[in-house]
Amino acid sequence: MKILVTGCNGQLGREIINQLESKKTKGEPIELLKCDKESLDISNFEDVYTYILEKKPEVIINCAAFTNVDLSEEKVDLAYKINALGSKNLAIASEKVKSKLVYISTDYVFKGDKKTPYREDDTTNPTNIYGKSKFLGEQYTKDFCSRYFIIRTAWLYGDGNNFVKTMLRLSESKKEINVVDDQVGSPTSTKELAVCVLNLINTEYYGTYHGTNNGFCSWYEFAKKIFEIKNIDVKVNPITSDKFPSKVNRPSYSVLDNFMLKLIDLDNFKHWEEALEEYLR
């Protein structure tokens, strides 16, 4: 199977490539194409179309994204260029060569005002530029490609910059840390998400899915658990979001229910605490 991974240097891209390389060493017939923003600008239609028609991948896993939520409010054009237009270009080229397309989306496509986990068919209503640009990317993926897997995820951590590493770094110089306690979601391991992606591409169960670790917590509870697992003595203070002034309206509740994965018996995700412990140990 010939697989193209865009955004190969991001947290999820790295993990997917690691798992695919592992499968190759075990004898699975995989040809891997790795692209970062320097080798393939997904916002350039001619580049994308030429590359994909030449390489003819059977699967395209699009991990490329503009994920800086705060900066998206300032660099609106760039956020849409990568998250929406780039996704459209890949979808058009993917359909031309009849490849399967994976689009990684986000919990931010929801407003975040529910009190129960969001299912795939719940009404979307993004309230910031990042969420809006990613949602448009979803729409383009559906409109221009017939063999797609849209996977919404949240609070990712893996090999790269993330909340877990930020907390550990802060603990090296601080004995007391303030963390918001009024935003709730599901911390998700890139290892678990990569397994989900690689399971889905071996099926024809096309559609939209939610893929996060099970259970949920606030950022404050997430931080407390990190330090507990690592046995680090740091005082964590719960504070409200208004103590961190921001231009971005973030969802206060963005827990996702892996409902559709459960229906097809492909919900491989562990509880978030178990996955976090595995990551840290």
Side-chain angles (χ1 to χ4, degrees), residues 45-234:
F45 177 74
E46 292 301 328
D47 287 356
V48 169
Y49 200 70
T50 300
Y51 182 86
I52 290 177
L53 261 64
E54 177 190 341
K55 301 295 185 181
K56 292 185 172 55
E58 295 164 73
V59 178
I60 299 170
I61 303 174
N62 182 21
C63 298
F66 189 84
T67 58
N68 189 316
V69 178
D70 290 283
L71 198 56
S72 294
E73 299 296 315
E74 299 174 21
K75 296 186 177 294
V76 177
D77 289 358
L78 184 59
Y80 275 97
K81 195 173 182 180
I82 297 171
N83 296 339
L85 183 61
S87 303
K88 179 182 180 181
N89 294 340
L90 287 167
I92 292 171
S94 176
E95 186 70 7
K96 182 67 176 179
V97 299
K98 302 190 184 308
S99 65
K100 297 177 180 180
L101 175 62
V102 179
Y103 175 70
I104 305 300
S105 192
T106 173
D107 55 328
Y108 275 44
V109 300
F110 296 110
K111 184 176 181 180
D113 56 353
K114 277 189 73 177
K115 299 301 180 187
T116 56
Y118 284 95
R119 287 187 174 180
E120 290 83 352
D121 61 342
D122 277 323
T123 302
T124 50
N125 186 14
T127 59
N128 54 55
I129 296 301
Y130 173 66
K132 290 175 181 178
S133 64
K134 290 296 288 183
F135 180 64
L136 187 54
E138 286 191 12
Q139 296 301 110
Y140 283 147
T141 298
K142 292 178 183 179
D143 290 345
F144 294 99
C145 182
S146 57
R147 301 169 182 82
Y148 69 84
F149 305 98
I150 293 169
I151 307 173
R152 295 172 182 149
T153 193
W155 295 27
L156 277 185
Y157 60 87
D159 179 13
N161 295 322
N162 57 63
F163 181 79
V164 180
K165 291 185 177 179
T166 297
M167 289 298 105
L168 293 175
R169 186 175 65 251
L170 287 174
S171 72
E172 293 173 0
S173 59
K174 297 178 180 293
K175 287 298 180 183
E176 195 168 333
I177 301 173
N178 297 330
V179 183
V180 296
D181 193 33
D182 57 357
Q183 293 176 26
V184 177
S186 301
T188 301
S189 162
T190 55
K191 180 179 178 182
E192 307 263 314
L193 182 56
V195 170
C196 171
V197 170
L198 300 185
N199 283 342
L200 277 174
I201 64 174
N202 285 310
T203 76
E204 293 185 355
Y205 298 148
Y206 305 118
T208 301
Y209 296 90
H210 288 172
T212 60
N213 278 113
N214 292 303
F216 55 88
C217 62
S218 68
W219 289 110
Y220 162 76
E221 292 166 327
F222 189 10
K224 291 271 287 184
K225 181 56 67 173
I226 292 165
F227 297 134
E228 177 188 316
I229 293 170
K230 295 296 288 183
N231 196 27
I232 295 173
D233 184 18
V234 174

